[in-house]
């Protein structure tokens, strides 16, 4: 980093402080992770200089011979990782990948059915402040409030809603849902009402790649994802279609110009539909991350992520916390703090003061506003990457409990912060540009 240090001391200073923050603190935001040095090196490379609009072998610019090789490697590895026939690795982000899904399958004004945003759904699944809610008509299914299915999706209710509104598309996927999805039943409902089925696996892609959760590929018409959450790659997005694409789609693609099949339709929605030049340095970096995810060690990593989340859920329950859905199948634990008399906003701020980073989160049937919320969401991907195991996660829950039991006690928070810094020194992360 010596070039940056000399050329721009101000930004170098920011980087130093951010690296220190990442090294010393406890990162429990469920959507975050720590990438390898190799993934970062591909991102911080001269490939950022290259314009490569189009696809490998069919570019609108000269000099793409090496960009083509990088993108083909990324595509081949993604296909192997997820067992699919078609992939587009160009979306700049999860939201961009989702925009290409809407652009391909929906016309403005069409109706889709997705998971209620207040029950764990994502902004791009119909929020009124997002393009998806502005251009399309969103309808929702949710999770159960009480009973044995509390916090879980009841598929009979999804079917009833689909039969009632007859959506053009049904979306699956969430930012704060702690249980697995029943893709086969979703597909049978989609077929019954003639809807497309779209899975947004942004959060769980790494766990799906590791074979630890149900596989959406054989059931969904289209799958979108980010690459930076459990998949532990660079900040970016991707689209995939399962094996035997045209059959999976169950219908022939509408022909338009040179476009012959669904893959080509989605390709043209990404570029020129909604993006210009792809970020070739990020695509190369995705290739590096996919190779890491293909290694056996990534399966062990995913198993640890899930085991650690289960341990956290159990520890919270033992300490009298209300864990939504009573536990977790994945990397997320969602805690309803209403019985503890503390809001998500206060909890987030108190934990942040102790260098424990979590986010406040709406819980199903929340009575607070989205800015205040009644819950917090915690996740294990980042600290599992640092090597923490069950004992550490038990200790983490004890420390969180200490803060939340007395959220305005500064002495208490300072002592928890000391314990966190002590703990993280045993799990080295990045050894460069530290202040
Ligand atoms: C994170 C997330 C996204 C958006 O990803 P960005 O890269 O931030 O645009 C989309 N869908 C779901 C379900 C997510 O959790």
């Amino acid at each position: 980093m010596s070039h940056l240090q000399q050329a721009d001391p101000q930004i170098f200073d920011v980087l130093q402080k951010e690296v220190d923050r990442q090294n010393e603190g406890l990162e429990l935001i469920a959507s975050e992770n720590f990438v390898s040095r190799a993934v970062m090196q591909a991102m911080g490379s001269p490939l950022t200089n290259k314009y490569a609009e189009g696809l490998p072998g069919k570019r609108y610019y000269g000099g793409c011979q090496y960009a083509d090789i990088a993108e083909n490697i990324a595509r081949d590895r993604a296909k192997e990782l997820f067992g699919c026939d078609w992939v587009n690795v160009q979306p700049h982000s999860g939201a961009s990948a989702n925009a290409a899904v809407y652009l391909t399958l929906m016309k403005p004004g069409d109706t889709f059915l997705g998971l209620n945003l207040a029950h764990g759904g994502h902004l791009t699944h119909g929020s009124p402040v997002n393009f998806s809610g502005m251009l399309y008509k969103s309808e929702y299914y949710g999770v159960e409030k009480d009973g044995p299915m509390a916090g879980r999706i009841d598929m009979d209710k999804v079917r009833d809603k689909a039969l009632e509104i007859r959506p053009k598309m049904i979306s699956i996927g969430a930012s704060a849902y702690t249980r697995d999805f029943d893709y086969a039943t979703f597909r049978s409902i989609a077929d019954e009402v003639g809807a497309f089925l779209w899975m947004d696996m942004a959060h769980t892609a790494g766990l799906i790649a590791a074979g630890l959760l149900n596989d959406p590929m054989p059931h969904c018409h289209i799958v979108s994802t980010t690459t930076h959450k459990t998949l532990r790659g660079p900040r970016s997005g991707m689209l995939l279609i399962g094996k035997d694409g045209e059959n999976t789609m169950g219908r022939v693609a509408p022909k338009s110009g040179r476009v012959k099949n669904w893959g080509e339709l989605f390709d043209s929605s990404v570029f020129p539909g909604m993006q210009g030049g792809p970020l070739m340095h990020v695509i190369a970096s995705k290739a590096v991350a996919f190779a890491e995810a293909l290694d056996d060690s990534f399966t062990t990593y995913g198993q640890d992520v899930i085991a650690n989340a289960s341990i956290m859920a159990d520890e919270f329950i033992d300490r009298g916390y209300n864990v939504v859905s009573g536990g977790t199948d994945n990397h997320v634990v969602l805690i309803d703090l209403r019985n503890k008399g503390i809001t998500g906003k206060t909890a987030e701020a108190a934990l942040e003061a102790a260098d424990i980073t979590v986010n406040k989160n709406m819980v199903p049937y929340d009575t607070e506003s989205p800015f205040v919320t009644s819950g917090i969401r915690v996740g294990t991907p980042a600290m599992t990457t640092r090597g923490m195991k069950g004992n550490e996660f038990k200790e983490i829950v004890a420390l969180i409990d200490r803060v939340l039991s007395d959220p305005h006690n500064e002495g208490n928070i300072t002592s928890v912060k000391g314990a966190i810094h002590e703990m993280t020194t045993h799990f080295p992360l990045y050894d460069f540009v530290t202040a």
Side-chain angles (χ1 to χ4, degrees):
M1 295 265 170
S2 58
H3 294 276
L4 180 66
Q5 184 169 17
Q6 287 195 347
D8 195 333
Q10 256 184 305
I11 288 295
F12 180 76
D13 181 53
V14 172
L15 277 184
Q16 268 193 323
K17 289 183 172 137
E18 172 60 15
V19 173
D20 285 345
R21 188 192 70 81
Q22 293 188 14
N23 279 334
E24 289 169 4
L26 205 61
E27 183 51 74
L28 295 177
I29 292 185
S31 52
E32 294 189 12
N33 213 327
F34 297 117
V35 299
S36 69
R37 295 290 294 271
V39 164
M40 275 191 272
Q41 283 176 357
M43 251 189 295
S45 72
L47 267 170
T48 190
N49 298 327
K50 190 70 204 97
Y51 244 112
E53 282 177 357
L55 289 165
K58 292 174 268 182
R59 303 285 191 186
Y60 292 83
Y61 287 82
C64 289
Q65 57 272 46
Y66 303 114
D68 280 5
I69 296 173
E71 186 163 349
N72 278 329
I73 293 173
R75 297 205 290 190
D76 289 345
R77 289 179 184 167
K79 286 180 197 167
E80 187 183 342
L81 191 56
F82 290 101
C84 62
D85 276 352
W86 174 91
V87 58
N88 185 307
V89 294
Q90 294 191 354
H92 299 332
S93 67
S96 300
N98 292 354
V101 170
Y102 287 97
L103 195 58
T104 309
L105 300 180
M106 305 263 290
K107 290 198 173 51
D110 281 351
T111 300
F112 70 98
L113 176 63
L115 177 60
N116 191 332
L117 306 190
H119 293 195
H122 188 257
L123 179 73
T124 55
H125 300 179
S127 162
V129 295
N130 181 263
F131 76 92
S132 56
M134 295 173 190
L135 297 179
Y136 311 100
K137 191 167 178 309
S138 44
E139 294 274 357
Y140 295 112
Y141 55 88
V143 301
E144 293 301 290
K145 187 170 184 188
D146 313 295
M149 290 284 286
R152 297 173 191 247
I153 296 165
D154 179 341
M155 293 309 294
D156 290 337
K157 294 197 176 154
V158 176
R159 180 169 178 269
D160 290 346
K161 187 84 187 172
L163 286 169
E164 176 197 329
I165 63 164
R166 301 242 152 216
K168 182 92 173 281
M169 177 169 81
I170 298 176
S171 66
I172 323 173
S175 299
Y177 185 62
T178 49
R179 297 299 172 177
D180 208 351
F181 296 106
D182 177 357
Y183 300 107
T185 304
F186 267 109
R187 178 57 189 257
S188 76
I189 294 168
D191 285 345
E192 193 176 349
V193 300
F196 290 110
L197 187 62
W198 160 41
M199 168 62 180
D200 176 356
M201 62 171 184
H203 257 265
T204 47
L207 305 177
I208 290 169
L212 302 169
L213 293 176
N214 294 335
D215 185 3
M217 293 302 160
H219 306 287
C220 298
H221 295 113
I222 184 74
V223 176
S224 67
T225 188
T226 64
T227 51
H228 50 272
K229 298 182 183 177
T230 52
L231 193 48
R232 209 168 59 186
R235 184 159 295 281
S236 198
M238 173 161 71
L239 290 169
L240 313 104
I241 297 177
K243 289 228 181 286
D244 198 8
E246 290 301 291
N247 279 339
T248 317
M249 292 304 276
R251 62 188 100 179
V252 178
K255 299 232 180 344
S256 70
R258 289 174 296 109
V259 171
K260 289 182 291 295
N261 57 45
W262 285 107
E264 289 183 3
L265 269 184
F266 283 104
D267 282 337
S268 69
S269 290
V270 174
F271 170 83
M274 39 143 280
Q275 284 184 183
L279 311 174
M280 293 315 302
H281 54 308
V282 181
I283 289 173
S285 178
K286 281 183 236 192
V288 176
F290 298 158
E292 290 178 2
L294 280 163
D295 192 85
D296 287 344
S297 60
F298 194 77
T299 308
T300 313
Y301 165 69
Q303 286 163 341
D304 289 346
V305 165
I306 293 175
N308 291 338
S310 296
I311 287 169
M312 283 190 98
D314 290 345
E315 287 291 307
F316 275 115
I317 291 167
D318 281 352
R319 289 170 183 275
Y321 287 84
N322 182 0
V323 170
V324 175
S325 89
T328 184
D329 292 334
N330 55 36
H331 61 299
V332 182
V333 180
L334 187 60
I335 301 148
D336 184 337
L337 294 167
R338 282 179 286 199
N339 68 336
K340 294 282 181 178
I342 176 173
T343 65
K345 184 169 178 249
T346 305
E348 181 190 283
L351 290 168
E352 181 162 15
D355 281 357
I356 301 174
T357 315
V358 306
N359 61 285
K360 65 184 176 199
N361 214 97
M362 297 284 272
V363 294
Y365 306 96
D366 209 327
T367 38
E368 298 284 351
S369 74
F371 190 70
V372 176
T373 81
S374 295
I376 52 171
R377 183 187 70 162
V378 299
T380 53
M383 297 320 285
T384 303
T385 292
R386 286 185 74 159
M388 289 189 178
K389 296 256 176 2
N391 282 340
E392 284 79 35
F393 280 95
K394 283 184 188 166
E395 176 68 18
I396 288 168
V397 175
L399 291 168
I400 291 175
D401 184 37
R402 251 180 80 185
V403 172
L404 297 187
S405 306
D406 201 358
H408 303 291
N409 178 340
E410 279 175 33
N412 185 41
I413 288 175
T414 306
S415 106
V416 169
K417 185 174 174 166
I420 297 290
H421 289 192
E422 210 286 313
M423 188 185 226
T424 52
T425 54
H426 300 292
F427 299 89
L429 178 61
Y430 300 130
D431 59 358
F432 56 105
V433 302
T434 49

